Amino acid sequence: DEQLLESGGGLVQPGGSLRLSCEASGFTFSRYAMTWVRQAPGKGLEWVSSTVDLGDRTFHANSVKGRFTISRDNSKSTLYLQMNSLRVEDTAVYYCAKEVSSSWSVWGQGTTVTVSS
Amino acid sequence: QSALTQPASVSGSPGQSITISCTGTSSDVGSHGLVSWYQQHPGKAPKLMIYEASKRPSGVSRRFSGSKSGNTASLTISGLQAEDEADYYCCSYAGTTTVLKWVFGGGTRLTVL
């Protein structure tokens, strides 16, 4: 059974940093591109960042470019999102997802990030 | 403001069919056949219902179907059931061969009357 398990969320002050992790199981992690998608409270889904299977190419939404960095460790089947210079508007549930055919077939349960003073 | 436009809400009675539209531009929906649809129940993670505009993943009911024409994609749910009540999001690939990027619609709340 393919599964993704996020961790690392929490409460942080504006300007602070957090690193999210997403541990994969049940599939060959190194063969798939992976993505982070977020959802602010009561709002819709927003694509945040993606990385290809080898991790040598990464892409970020304009809203997080220069502040967030996606990375992966294929030896640990784990995806990361380093979030720096956090803003109140980054408050959201962050989901990691496995990409297949430019869509996301497996999602984690999400981890909540709250940016507040 | 979301990149793709969906109606905020739709409703239907059990057994009926409904269609949710998703309108984009020639840079996303219109230039790629890479539209996907996600169902999300309250407090749960999204679930993939349709990919590549009209393909259904294994395990998804045949009552769900997708289509695309020009800059607009559509999700149709036939034989509405109470369990279909949820939020539905469309998503389109909007990148190039070298830059990955996706855009979502604002979501549609489906109410089963």
Side-chain angles (χ1 to χ4, degrees):
Chain A
D1 191 25
E2 300 179 343
Q3 292 189 354
L4 297 169
L5 183 63
E6 303 97 334
S7 60
L11 173 64
V12 61
Q13 292 187 337
S17 298
L18 274 179
R19 188 176 84 153
L20 306 183
S21 299
C22 169
E23 185 172 353
S25 60
F27 64 97
T28 305
F29 180 74
S30 60
R31 293 183 180 176
Y32 295 93
M34 296 293 296
T35 287
W36 288 98
V37 173
R38 70 183 180 184
Q39 186 170 35
K43 303 297 184 180
L45 302 172
E46 179 188 14
W47 171 72
V48 175
S49 302
S50 293
T51 180
V52 299
D53 51 358
L54 297 181
D56 55 341
R57 290 192 301 150
T58 62
F59 307 91
H60 299 84
N62 288 338
S63 57
V64 305
K65 198 170 292 183
R67 301 187 299 122
F68 290 13
T69 302
I70 188 173
S71 62
R72 63 193 295 163
D73 185 336
N74 285 344
S75 68
K76 297 181 178 180
S77 297
T78 301
L79 179 73
Y80 302 100
L81 185 67
Q82 178 66 45
M83 304 186 297
N84 299 330
S85 302
L86 282 161
R87 304 168 180 169
V88 171
E89 54 265 35
D90 295 319
T91 295
V93 175
Y94 285 73
Y95 296 100
C96 65
K98 170 195 172 189
E99 184 194 322
V100 177
S101 299
S102 292
S103 62
W104 300 293
S105 59
V106 181
W107 295 67
Q109 85 291 346
T111 188
T112 300
V113 173
T114 303
V115 185
S116 174
S117 54
Chain B
Q1 189 173 357
S2 301
L4 306 180
T5 300
Q6 299 179 233
S9 63
V10 298
S11 63
S13 299
Q16 289 186 331
S17 295
I18 63 95
T19 296
I20 300 172
S21 62
C22 171
T23 301
T25 69
S26 58
S27 297
D28 39 63
V29 175
S31 64
H32 302 287
L34 301 175
V35 176
S36 52
W37 289 90
Y38 301 88
Q39 176 192 65
Q40 187 180 35
H41 288 109
K44 301 295 186 181
K47 175 186 177 182
L48 178 64
M49 306 304 286
I50 296 289
Y51 68 100
E52 293 182 4
S54 61
K55 297 181 180 178
R56 214 173 23 250
S58 174
V60 171
S61 171
R62 296 176 65 177
R63 299 185 298 105
F64 291 82
S65 62
S67 63
K68 186 182 85 76
S69 177
N71 296 340
T72 298
S74 299
L75 173 71
T76 297
I77 309 174
S78 59
L80 272 178
Q81 299 179 359
E83 68 224 44
D84 299 333
E85 185 163 292
D87 292 327
Y88 291 84
Y89 294 91
C90 63
C91 182
S92 175
Y93 183 68
T96 65
T97 54
T98 56
V99 176
L100 303 184
K101 176 185 176 183
W102 283 266
V103 290
F104 278 97
T108 298
R109 173 69 54 85
L110 169 61
T111 301
V112 180
L113 302 171

